[in-house]
Amino acid sequence: QVQLVESGGGLVQAGGSLRLSCVASGSIFSVNSMGWYRQAPGKQRELVATIPSGGRTNYADSVKGRFTISRDNAKNTVYLQMNSLKPEDTAVYYCNAFVLPSRTGSWYNYWGQGTQVTVSS
């Protein structure tokens, strides 16, 4: 079984910064793409940023230039540095990872439980 655990959410004023972390643990042979998604009240879950094991990062237009995604492959951890936060960034942020649990198995898509980010005006 694979678990994704997020941390780093909280309450911050507009213009402030937060750094989210997500650690993947359990039965892991390999991790491919990792990423962050968010869901605001009454809205659908949307992509924030993704980072493959090797290659170019991808960002939603709404966060380009303000958010930076990075990862530590040795620790199976993905980060999201969020700067210049706006009230519209308020949402539950979910970690996502595409994982191969065993060498001879299949790839699976896993989600974390989510962490709340609230930006006050």
Side-chain angles (χ1 to χ4, degrees):
Q1 188 71 348
V2 175
Q3 300 83 36
L4 302 183
V5 179
E6 302 105 332
S7 61
L11 174 64
V12 64
Q13 288 188 332
S17 299
L18 283 174
R19 188 190 193 214
L20 304 183
S21 300
C22 171
V23 180
S25 63
S27 176
I28 297 174
F29 180 77
S30 181
V31 181
N32 195 335
S33 180
M34 302 185 80
W36 292 94
Y37 292 72
R38 67 186 181 186
Q39 187 167 18
K43 295 186 177 182
Q44 289 191 335
R45 190 174 297 188
E46 63 177 5
L47 179 146
V48 176
T50 59
I51 182 168
S53 57
R56 297 175 63 180
T57 55
N58 180 48
Y59 294 94
D61 288 342
S62 59
V63 306
K64 283 181 181 177
R66 300 188 298 121
F67 291 9
T68 302
I69 189 170
S70 60
R71 63 190 284 174
D72 184 333
N73 290 329
K75 297 180 179 180
N76 289 328
T77 300
V78 62
Y79 306 97
L80 186 68
Q81 178 66 44
M82 305 185 294
N83 299 328
S84 302
L85 282 161
K86 305 175 181 180
E88 50 264 44
D89 294 318
T90 295
V92 177
Y93 283 69
Y94 296 91
C95 174
N96 173 265
F98 201 47
V99 177
L100 183 66
S102 64
R103 179 182 174 185
T104 58
S106 300
W107 291 88
Y108 293 95
N109 200 32
Y110 291 94
W111 293 91
Q113 81 287 352
T115 185
Q116 177 69 46
V117 171
T118 303
V119 184
S120 63
S121 58

